[in-house]
Structure formats: C-alpha cells, structure tokens
Amino acid sequence: MAQTYAQVQKEIARLQAQAEKLREQEIGEVVGKIKVAIAEYGITAEQLGFKKTGAAKASVKVAAKKGKKKAAVVMYADGQGNEWVGRGPRPKWLKDLTGKDGDISAYRV
C-alpha cells in the first residue's frame, strides 16, 4: 500500500523534530569543546574575528568602573615567582635571563 500525502508529511515532521534534537545535542558538545579551548589558550573574541559592538564596549566600560578586571594569562615565568603576560615592555628579570640573544621561548608557560 502506498503512503498518503498526509502520512509523508507526518513522517517529515517527525524526522525534522528528531534532527533538531540531534542538532541541539551536537551544538552543546561543540560549544563545550570551544569553551575549554578558549579557557586553555586565553583566546579573545577579537582573535576569533568578532568585533566589539557598542554594547560590548559599554559592558567593558561598566566592568572597569566596578573595578572588575579579567585575570591575565601568564605567558612567561622563571619558576622563581616572576611572571609576565607578554604585554607591555619586557620585564628586567626576563631581559637579564635571556641576555643578548633575547630568546624567551625557554620561559614560556
């Protein structure tokens, strides 16, 4: 017996609902992996190609006014308590350790 139009439409609706449920589940897994990678590598929205919108800029200003600062990710350390996040001028302790060659790769965290 051949299926009717109504039966096919009902099957399509059931499959679409199943597909949406699977999609949401997979998105949750992917988002979880992305969050782990962002936290592990300190990835910023700008590095991912997102530009700050007016709302995002405003929220940054509000957070700054409240004294909330994002913890910087330490990029270099000497094991003696000296740390540098890789921004701004290179600190004296790191210059002293690297000497004239300036190779800081041995101190990367």
Side-chain angles (χ1 to χ4, degrees):
M1 174 187 236
Q3 288 184 318
T4 66
Y5 175 78
Q7 290 171 327
V8 171
Q9 288 297 321
K10 187 175 180 179
E11 181 70 7
I12 289 171
R14 185 188 67 77
L15 289 171
Q16 285 178 331
Q18 182 183 0
E20 184 59 28
K21 184 177 178 181
L22 290 171
R23 180 181 179 277
E24 289 176 10
Q25 181 180 3
E26 289 176 13
I27 287 174
E29 292 169 3
V30 170
V31 168
K33 290 176 185 177
I34 291 170
K35 286 181 178 181
V36 168
I38 287 172
E40 185 173 335
Y41 295 101
I43 298 170
T44 66
E46 289 80 19
Q47 288 173 316
L48 294 172
F50 298 108
K51 294 182 180 178
K52 285 188 179 181
T53 64
K57 288 178 184 176
S59 66
V60 169
K61 288 180 183 177
V62 169
K65 286 182 181 179
K66 291 182 179 180
K68 295 181 181 178
K69 291 188 178 181
K70 183 179 176 184
V73 177
V74 174
M75 300 290 286
Y76 301 94
D78 66 353
Q80 303 296 318
N82 294 312
E83 298 176 335
W84 182 47
V85 297
R87 292 190 196 131
R90 193 173 291 182
K92 185 177 182 332
W93 66 265
L94 190 55
K95 287 180 186 176
D96 293 342
L97 289 173
T98 58
K100 290 187 179 185
D101 69 356
D103 183 20
I104 60 175
S105 61
Y107 303 100
R108 185 150 177 99
V109 176

